[in-house]
Amino acid sequence: MEANNQSLLPSSSSSSSLSNHIWVCNNTHHPSLYCDELYVKQQDMNWIGGKCNSTNTMMERCSSYVPPLPLNNGGTMRALCRTRHLQPLIPCCITWNAQELKYTVRFDKPIRAVTPGQIVAIYIANGIICLGGGLIWAHGPTYHKMNKILPKSLHPAGSNDLSVNQ
């Protein structure tokens, strides 16, 4: 911790239950809070429309829809997403990994505080159509872990986040 008084009052923190470490940051835009991607397990992703992936009749509710066509056979798809309510939509690229049975959502700009256990919602058509969403299983490596400097242009964490340059 630095000696100046401002750094003694942390405004953000994160933890890792696997390593029993708690990270305390001296501001909300510390590299340890930002990442470029998140992961959703296949069983935790819910696609809203499209072809039903079961033998249900038309009168029964479909519980499993086939992912959008571009994601078949390891393809990718451009979309918009958000990881918290009222967060501005984030341009992203979604990839399906059949070997690991997971989806990777990669952001065009790093975003703050991607949290396992929260939901990522996927949109197309400038955010008008919601394709579905899923439980965030894990986030990608943080900028701190990758030893990367945050870019000057960051995505806002919420609709009232005026502390970043877009």
Side-chain angles (χ1 to χ4, degrees):
M1 204 175 253
E2 296 177 27
N4 67 35
N5 289 334
Q6 288 181 346
S7 66
L8 296 177
L9 300 172
S11 57
S12 298
S13 67
S14 66
S15 65
S16 170
S17 59
L18 296 176
S19 63
N20 292 325
H21 289 114
I22 297 176
W23 295 92
V24 179
C25 307
N26 63 355
N27 64 49
T28 60
H29 298 298
H30 190 277
S32 67
L33 299 174
Y34 283 84
C35 69
D36 289 330
E37 61 188 25
L38 63 81
Y39 313 107
V40 178
K41 292 181 180 179
Q42 177 186 18
Q43 70 266 22
D44 294 332
M45 182 62 90
N46 297 297
W47 298 106
I48 293 173
K51 183 179 175 188
C52 188
N53 196 25
S54 70
T55 58
N56 290 348
T57 65
M58 296 262 295
M59 300 303 287
E60 295 178 43
R61 183 173 172 259
C62 184
S63 61
S64 175
Y65 287 98
V66 174
L69 192 58
L71 294 177
N72 291 345
N73 301 319
T76 62
M77 181 178 94
R78 294 289 303 164
L80 298 169
C81 71
R82 66 171 43 114
T83 60
R84 56 182 45 84
H85 182 63
L86 297 181
Q87 178 184 44
L89 290 170
I90 304 162
C92 65
C93 184
I94 304 168
T95 305
W96 164 243
N97 183 325
Q99 267 86 30
E100 296 181 23
L101 299 176
K102 72 176 183 182
Y103 294 93
T104 298
V105 178
R106 182 152 184 78
F107 315 114
D108 289 3
K109 291 181 181 180
I111 65 167
R112 181 167 54 95
V114 172
T115 307
Q118 290 185 330
I119 300 295
V120 59
I122 309 294
Y123 299 86
I124 58 170
N126 291 325
I128 296 171
I129 300 170
C130 180
L131 289 181
L135 187 69
I136 298 171
W137 170 58
H139 60 73
T142 66
Y143 271 59
H144 176 75
K145 185 168 251 169
M146 294 185 296
N147 203 21
K148 287 175 68 175
I149 296 172
L150 286 173
K152 291 191 187 294
S153 176
L154 296 171
H155 197 283
S159 61
N160 62 349
D161 187 359
L162 304 176
S163 65
V164 299
N165 298 324
Q166 295 187 42

